[in-house]
Amino acid sequence: MKIYISEEAAAWYERELDLQKGDNVRFFARYGGVSTVQSGFSLGIQVEEPMTIGASAEKNEIQYYVEERDLWYFDNHDLYVDYNEKQDEPEYSVK
């Protein structure tokens, strides 16, 4: 699996999460919500230090990653994180 993050989405995360160079943003499977990949689960985000990285991408010296234990959620697909300007929030797709 690979993670792709647009410049606009990275800027949103930096602004909204007050990220600094060297920070780490984790994408993880959380119980509940709506997903096009896994029924009954949704995608969560958290700023935290990685333990065992399964996939990662870096933008502006900030690492975005998924732990190995959460790779099942993506079902061997890649995660694309874009920015929805109208809603002023990230938009996720799995392809």
Side-chain angles (χ1 to χ4, degrees):
M1 126 172 236
K2 293 184 180 179
I3 300 172
Y4 300 94
I5 300 181
S6 71
E7 289 295 332
E8 297 83 4
W12 185 91
Y13 282 116
E14 291 170 28
R15 181 177 68 249
E16 294 297 317
L17 300 177
D18 194 29
L19 297 175
Q20 306 298 315
K21 291 179 180 178
D23 281 344
N24 300 281
V25 177
R26 177 180 168 217
F27 297 106
F28 63 95
R30 51 179 241 158
Y31 185 70
V34 177
S35 166
T36 58
V37 184
Q38 301 289 345
S39 180
F41 291 86
S42 60
L43 188 64
I45 61 167
Q46 188 164 337
V47 178
E48 67 181 29
E49 291 295 316
M51 294 174 62
T52 307
I53 295 175
S56 69
E58 188 175 300
K59 283 280 186 194
N60 305 326
E61 298 183 49
I62 296 167
Q63 179 174 233
Y64 298 85
Y65 72 98
V66 173
E67 292 278 353
E68 278 186 10
R69 68 179 182 247
D70 288 318
L71 288 175
W72 66 269
Y73 174 80
F74 299 94
D75 196 28
N76 294 315
H77 295 87
D78 296 331
L79 173 64
Y80 290 80
V81 184
D82 291 310
Y83 174 70
N84 184 317
E85 190 173 336
K86 280 187 175 184
Q87 295 182 338
D88 187 30
E89 64 185 23
E91 190 169 73
Y92 307 100
S93 58
V94 179
K95 303 176 188 175

